[in-house]
Amino acid sequence: MISFGLIKLIKKHWFRFKLRKASPHDRAELMRNKFYFLGKNVELYTMDFGTEPYLISIHDNAVCASGVRFINHDVSVHRVAYYLGLKRTDIDKVGSIELFENSFVGAYSILMPNCSK
């Protein structure tokens, strides 16, 4: 009998395979239910949507070139918290990313938390 964990793992790998093979427009459609908002006519040439894709909003006619990284959760603040003697949750940096209508994000750009373009 196949366990629930194995089925979940297979689904995850199958989704990543479909995402990798999809065209830029189809990749956006595959990610539609994972994003907070996805407009019409969006093209995603990248596959790096960070650890919290539900914090990403992309409006109509937006294009993200190859290698663009969406970073919603900046882990570097954990080291700062350690040196200041704070709890990691006291200084956590998590935020949304929003791409407005008719925007273009160039190749290998890095979009950080609380970023709007």
Side-chain angles (χ1 to χ4, degrees):
M1 180 158 195
I2 299 176
S3 70
F4 178 72
L6 182 60
I7 292 171
K8 191 174 177 180
L9 183 66
I10 291 170
K11 284 182 179 181
K12 177 182 171 184
H13 284 288
W14 179 247
F15 180 78
R16 294 289 294 171
F17 175 77
K18 287 193 315 186
L19 199 63
R20 192 170 40 252
K21 297 296 181 184
S23 70
H25 178 71
D26 292 339
R27 185 172 292 138
E29 291 304 317
L30 283 170
M31 290 298 294
R32 181 171 293 281
N33 65 344
K34 306 236 186 264
F35 290 147
Y36 180 76
F37 176 79
L38 183 70
K40 297 179 278 188
N41 197 28
V42 173
E43 293 183 10
L44 301 173
Y45 291 87
T46 187
M47 286 186 42
D48 192 352
F49 304 110
T51 55
E52 288 93 7
Y54 54 85
L55 293 174
I56 298 172
S57 297
I58 303 175
H59 295 270
D60 299 343
N61 305 316
V63 177
C64 289
S66 174
V68 173
R69 297 183 69 198
F70 291 84
I71 299 176
N72 300 98
H73 189 203
D74 187 9
V75 183
S76 65
V77 296
H78 290 198
R79 297 307 301 163
V80 173
Y82 173 77
Y83 288 116
L84 293 177
L86 302 171
K87 294 182 205 171
R88 292 191 314 189
T89 56
D90 292 342
I91 195 170
D92 209 6
K93 184 166 176 75
V94 178
S96 63
I97 296 173
E98 185 170 10
L99 299 180
F100 293 108
E101 293 180 357
N102 305 315
S103 61
F104 174 81
V105 181
Y108 301 101
S109 297
I110 299 173
L111 303 175
M112 297 295 286
N114 299 318
C115 169
S116 296
K117 180 177 180 341

